[in-house]
Amino acid sequence: MNITAAHLAEKVQGVVEGDGAVMLTGVAGIRDAEPGDLTFLANRKYAPLVAETKAGAIIAGDDLEKGAAKCAVIRVKNPDKAFTVAALLLGLPAVTREPGVHPSAVIAPGVQLGTGVCIGPHCVLEPGVAIGENTVICAGVYIGHGSSVGRDGLIYPCVVIRERSKIGRRVIVHSGTVIGSDGFGYYREGEKYKKIPQMGIVEIGDDVEIGANAAIDRARFGKTVIEDGVKIDNLVQIAHNVRVGANTVMAAQAGISGSTVIGRNVQFGGQAGVAGHLNIEDNVVVGARGGVTKDIEKNTYVMGFPAMPHEKAKRLHAHTMRLPELRDRVTALEKRLAALENKEKRG
Amino acid sequence: MNITAAHLAEKVQGVVEGDGAVMLTGVAGIRDAEPGDLTFLANRKYAPLVAETKAGAIIAGDDLEKGAAKCAVIRVKNPDKAFTVAALLLGLPAVTREPGVHPSAVIAPGVQLGTGVCIGPHCVLEPGVAIGENTVICAGVYIGHGSSVGRDGLIYPCVVIRERSKIGRRVIVHSGTVIGSDGFGYYREGEKYKKIPQMGIVEIGDDVEIGANAAIDRARFGKTVIEDGVKIDNLVQIAHNVRVGANTVMAAQAGISGSTVIGRNVQFGGQAGVAGHLNIEDNVVVGARGGVTKDIEKNTYVMGFPAMPHEKAKRLHAHTMRLPELRDRVTALEKRLAALENKEKRG
Amino acid sequence: MNITAAHLAEKVQGVVEGDGAVMLTGVAGIRDAEPGDLTFLANRKYAPLVAETKAGAIIAGDDLEKGAAKCAVIRVKNPDKAFTVAALLLGLPAVTREPGVHPSAVIAPGVQLGTGVCIGPHCVLEPGVAIGENTVICAGVYIGHGSSVGRDGLIYPCVVIRERSKIGRRVIVHSGTVIGSDGFGYYREGEKYKKIPQMGIVEIGDDVEIGANAAIDRARFGKTVIEDGVKIDNLVQIAHNVRVGANTVMAAQAGISGSTVIGRNVQFGGQAGVAGHLNIEDNVVVGARGGVTKDIEKNTYVMGFPAMPHEKAKRLHAHTMRLPELRDRVTALEKRLAALENKEKRG
């Protein structure tokens, strides 16, 4: 699609500064952009690149100074949102998949498929599976007995959804992810571990997205719950009986131990971890690598391991960094005090 | 199945306190239980919920006080074991798979399948594979040249078992796990890394369970060994030539570097890590996130990074938490000493 | 293959010490070797085993003392390289796969397959895919629309390569790995997260090897780049728009956050992590578990979290280990000073 900067500005409810007639034919990052490209300022760190970009136009918010760019500026309230709209107009079209069931898919008798559903090659849908309208199940996906996937979903190739899982509407699951694997539960008899049956399920709300090669275990009984709007990155571990509250986000390689309850709007940085049987309340932020070992009250930003409020963690870190100096101060004190004691003795 | 509390108590060798005639029709967690459900006390943390549960009966050990529950109590020695027996009676039956080979599976000539074996859709069994009696190979599993899986095993969908792997009896492998991938080995020529062939195998004992999306590398030569009864959680990494001793357990996202030898009955917490070429002796416990950088003697409980005996780690942590106070004490000393020195000078 | 130690020495440009006539028929680790085996000294830690090995011959460099082994020694400049050559002669032959397309594979019309290509059972190659000469695509691999894999590659079973990915020559990808999954990008509208389309691609250079169950996300736009010769271990996370410079190696479970640029010849230890939008320059080494939170200059060896130059980290660690002693020194000073002050007062 070709569109002028001025025309695009209308579509994203923005205002053009500079040459509104410049023709845009693609999108690109600020460093790679060519003259026909639209670009945007993703992060203040890249502001110095604005003056140098070869892009035809840039989408920016209030924080870009007037005149900072040589190209046209499309000024908007929410640059991420505006760029998303623009990218869907100007970018390469996404891959589309036609409705229908590939002949190599193995669909059990009685499986329910909504209208517009696409089932890719080599999929396996076991008895009792139900797939909602317009949902795309890509190649090689396995969906176990009695599981359901809501409408308008997108399940990428080679996902495994074990039996009795309930997945909401508009859910995206990336390749390699396993939903409903057994929780890690054993009891001991002498030296040996005996398996505790994992008879519960996984229930996933609407508008959830789960990255690649993540693992979400089914409950021992009852359910492991991922509420509406949760976003989970690659290689994340969610253990059995965990509940993740609505609109919580978890960056890559984070892990939540069994039976922990996480509130709404919580944020986990990459490689963060949480011990089992804890309560993490609403709006908590756990910094990257944070290791949570006890309950966290709402609206708290924690970091470190064991995780503590981030001001405290930063203060302790600063103290630790000055340990050599502290040691030197103590050594100096010892010398001065010894000198004084000697005087006193002689005196 | 419907069963009275009294009848169930017989089956788990327990004693009923309260209404033995109450009819049980299902199992549930202590919070979610309804009047017909059996529940149990999984963790002392949930003891306050015992008085409030709507369950018809609760399985408990000696540590639950008499009269703490309004519902019937089935008193047993090992609640986990008793509940496991009860849950198999009362819970939803597990998915079963009929023996036979799905027509879409690709089975090389000469593959040996024991009686009662089930091979799911889209599986691939390469030449020389042998599968023991009653083992279930779910959909989409790949088993490479010359590998064997012992009897009564359960290999979940989309597992990859590379060539020449030897897997014991009653082994469970969860979806997405890769067994026998090449170890990470290179030598350098100038700036470039050249691959060292990984010609060894993986050997897995009896009664092992491996979680979802784990990776167990084959040996450079010889074998990577997982001994009998080992339990490995999701997303765990086992590098080449590692040996994991019998009945060792490893929680999610733990990682063991190459050639490390781990004893029997060792426990690794989540996200723990071990450097290469180390010896971790029997009965060691590595706390969650523990990072082991040197050999650990038997019966030691270590934590932290670098891992150290946990009492030492706790003491150091306490000292670190009091660093601001220590700094203040040093500052106070400096002032008092300066005052004294001044007096002395003037005196 | 049977070969004498003397004959083998010629093939690896080494010199025999001891019995050059000993016949070698296999390879094994120094502990497991039997009389007909060739072994080698992989790590100085195992030097005490040299005197005891039952091997027929051992490959070693200059650092093994003369006379340390009872068996023949094949002395070479680069033992890793020599052993690699020898192991390919003496070890079990690798599994080979015949060229051709398995009838169960689903190959879109117009897909380009070079001569000698092998496409395994149950693979799916979408429209526009191109596979270079002699490349082996094992069972159950998915390759999305418009993606290409260069010549002489080896893609192990159950790999997913999403649309428009570009993969170079002689690339090895292990099972379960996902290339081209969506980056983790959202913008907020009120409490909800809205998906930012991930329209870029993944580009992988020549001679790259990627381990099992790793995840490499496609770019928001533009590309995520893995340059020539990079070696990535199992369960590694590479976020969107990351660039990894040539001949960089990343050990298992490491993770790189979005838009970070990594130089050439960088080394990441296991479980290391890097925050987003950073520059890690050439020849940097990040120790195991290192957590990088800011740019790192070239040729720096960092460790710890937050990562710092390793000498500094070691010094701080030593200071931390001596905290109890420092506290005792301060307590002693307080007592001595109080005594002096009392004298002064009384004096």
Side-chain angles (χ1 to χ4, degrees), chain B residues 8-42:
Chain B
L8 185 64
E10 278 175 40
K11 290 196 179 284
V12 299
Q13 293 159 8
V15 175
V16 183
E17 298 164 14
D19 180 11
V22 64
M23 190 62 73
L24 302 171
T25 59
V27 292
I30 195 162
R31 257 191 276 252
D32 303 329
E34 300 287 333
D37 287 335
L38 174 73
T39 191
F40 85 129
L41 185 59

Side-chain angles (χ1 to χ4, degrees), chain A residues 104 122 142 164 176 186 188-189 191 195 199 214 217 220-221 235 237 254 271-272 277 289 316 329 336, chain B residues 28-29 40 45-46 81 83-84 87 93 95 97 122 209 213 234 253 265 271 289 320 331 334 341:
Chain A
S104 65
H122 303 315
Y142 173 86
R164 298 173 186 149
Y186 305 92
R188 261 188 127 155
E189 275 196 344
E191 288 219 319
K195 184 172 177 69
M199 310 175 90
D217 280 352
R220 176 168 176 177
F221 34 76
L235 293 161
Q237 151 76 354
Q271 300 181 334
H277 299 282
R289 283 280 175 90
L316 282 178
R329 287 165 65 187
R336 285 161 57 193
Chain B
F40 85 129
K45 190 168 177 179
Y46 304 123
K81 182 178 179 182
F83 193 79
T84 293
V95 166
R97 291 170 173 86
H122 304 314
E209 182 165 2
N213 283 337
N234 302 335
Q253 297 177 316
N265 295 309
Q271 300 183 334
R289 283 281 176 87
T320 303
T331 304
E334 287 169 334
E341 285 169 336

Side-chain angles (χ1 to χ4, degrees), chain A residues 27-32 39-40 42-43 45-46 78-85 87-97 102 104 121-122 138-140 156-158 172 174-176 207 209-213 229 231-235 246-253 264-267 271 283 288-290 303-304 317 320-331 333-334 337-338 340-341 344-345, chain C residues 104-106 121-124 126 140 142 144-145 158-160 162-164 176-178 181-189 191-197 199 201 212-217 220-223 235-239 253-256 258-261 271-274 276-279 289-292 295 304-306 308 312 315-316 319-320 322-323 326 329-330 332-334 336-337 340 343-344:
Chain A
V27 291
I30 197 161
R31 256 191 278 251
D32 304 327
T39 192
F40 85 130
N43 186 308
K45 189 167 178 179
Y46 304 124
N78 184 336
D80 274 311
K81 181 178 179 181
F83 192 79
T84 293
V85 171
L88 292 173
L89 288 171
L90 284 167
L92 276 174
V95 167
T96 54
R97 290 169 174 87
H102 193 277
S104 65
H122 303 315
C138 296
Y156 278 104
C158 299
I172 302 171
H174 289 279
S175 293
D207 300 304
E209 183 164 2
I210 303 172
N213 283 338
K231 310 296 183 188
I232 293 175
D233 201 353
N234 302 336
L235 293 161
N247 302 316
T248 280
V249 294
M250 307 181 62
Q253 297 177 317
R264 299 166 64 93
N265 296 308
V266 173
Q267 296 174 35
Q271 300 181 334
N283 308 313
R289 283 280 175 90
M303 56 189 288
H317 178 65
T320 303
M321 296 298 284
R322 288 195 305 259
L323 262 178
E325 183 206 317
L326 188 66
R327 207 264 316 254
D328 291 348
R329 287 165 65 187
V330 170
T331 304
L333 278 168
E334 288 169 334
L337 185 59
L340 213 56
E341 286 169 335
E344 185 71 20
K345 230 179 275 174
Chain C
S104 65
V106 175
H122 304 314
C123 286
V124 177
E126 300 277 19
Y142 173 87
H145 300 70
C158 300
V159 164
V160 171
R162 285 263 309 274
E163 67 272 15
R164 297 172 186 147
T177 281
V178 177
S181 37
D182 285 3
F184 194 62
Y186 305 91
Y187 66 92
R188 261 188 128 154
E189 273 195 345
E191 288 219 319
K192 294 191 175 171
Y193 289 90
K194 300 286 184 172
K195 184 172 176 69
I196 295 174
M199 309 175 89
I201 67 164
N213 283 338
I216 302 182
D217 280 351
R220 177 169 176 175
F221 35 75
K223 50 196 178 190
L235 293 161
V236 165
Q237 151 75 354
I238 308 281
Q253 297 177 316
I256 312 294
S259 300
T260 281
V261 176
Q271 300 181 334
V274 184
H277 300 283
L278 298 183
N279 267 292
R289 283 278 176 91
V292 180
D295 294 352
F305 177 59
M308 60 190 85
K312 191 174 179 182
R315 208 160 49 230
L316 282 178
H319 277 286
T320 302
R322 288 196 304 259
L323 261 179
L326 187 66
R329 287 166 65 188
V330 170
L333 278 168
E334 287 169 335
R336 287 162 57 194
L337 185 57
L340 214 55
K343 262 196 187 170
E344 184 72 22

Side-chain angles (χ1 to χ4, degrees), chain B residues 167-183:
Chain B
I167 297 183
R169 294 168 291 178
R170 299 175 299 279
V171 168
I172 302 172
V173 184
H174 289 278
S175 293
T177 281
V178 177
I179 294 171
S181 37
D182 285 4

Side-chain angles (χ1 to χ4, degrees), chain C residues 246-289:
Chain C
N247 302 317
T248 281
V249 293
M250 308 180 62
Q253 297 177 316
I256 312 294
S257 305
S259 300
T260 281
V261 176
I262 295 167
R264 299 165 65 93
N265 296 309
V266 173
Q267 297 175 34
F268 291 93
Q271 300 181 334
V274 184
H277 300 283
L278 298 183
N279 267 292
I280 312 296
E281 296 184 0
D282 295 351
N283 307 316
V284 163
V285 176
V286 179
R289 283 278 176 91

Side-chain angles (χ1 to χ4, degrees), chain A residues 37-249:
Chain A
D37 286 334
L38 173 73
T39 192
F40 85 130
L41 185 59
N43 186 308
R44 294 296 310 162
K45 189 167 178 179
Y46 304 124
L49 300 174
V50 169
E52 297 162 24
T53 184
K54 293 181 196 152
I58 184 168
I59 283 185
D62 293 337
D63 55 346
L64 181 69
E65 293 161 38
K66 281 224 166 185
K70 289 175 197 148
C71 64
V73 173
I74 301 174
R75 188 79 66 175
V76 296
K77 280 207 182 138
N78 184 336
D80 274 311
K81 181 178 179 181
F83 192 79
T84 293
V85 171
L88 292 173
L89 288 171
L90 284 167
L92 276 174
V95 167
T96 54
R97 290 169 174 87
E98 292 302 307
V101 176
H102 193 277
S104 65
V106 175
I107 312 286
V111 162
Q112 295 174 46
L113 302 179
T115 58
V117 160
C118 167
I119 307 290
H122 303 315
C123 285
V124 176
L125 276 61
E126 300 277 19
V129 165
I131 308 294
E133 286 177 42
N134 301 320
T135 285
V136 174
I137 308 291
C138 296
V141 169
Y142 173 86
I143 306 184
H145 300 70
S147 289
S148 61
V149 181
R151 59 176 299 166
D152 300 310
L154 176 48
I155 311 298
Y156 278 104
C158 299
V159 164
V160 172
I161 298 171
R162 287 263 309 272
E163 66 273 15
R164 298 173 186 149
S165 302
K166 291 178 183 168
I167 297 184
R169 293 167 292 179
R170 298 175 299 279
V171 167
I172 302 171
V173 184
H174 289 279
S175 293
T177 282
V178 177
I179 294 171
S181 36
D182 285 4
F184 194 63
Y186 305 92
Y187 66 92
R188 261 188 127 155
E189 275 196 344
E191 288 219 319
K192 293 193 178 173
Y193 289 91
K194 300 285 183 174
K195 184 172 177 69
I196 295 174
Q198 304 290 310
M199 310 175 90
I201 67 164
V202 174
E203 188 177 284
I204 292 177
D206 295 338
D207 300 304
V208 168
E209 183 164 2
I210 303 172
N213 283 338
I216 302 182
D217 280 352
R218 64 194 314 106
R220 176 168 176 177
F221 34 76
K223 48 197 180 189
T224 302
V225 179
I226 312 293
E227 294 183 3
D228 294 349
V230 168
K231 310 296 183 188
I232 293 175
D233 201 353
N234 302 336
L235 293 161
V236 166
Q237 151 76 354
I238 307 282
H240 51 175
N241 292 86
V242 164
R243 173 176 283 269
V244 181
N247 302 316
T248 280
V249 294

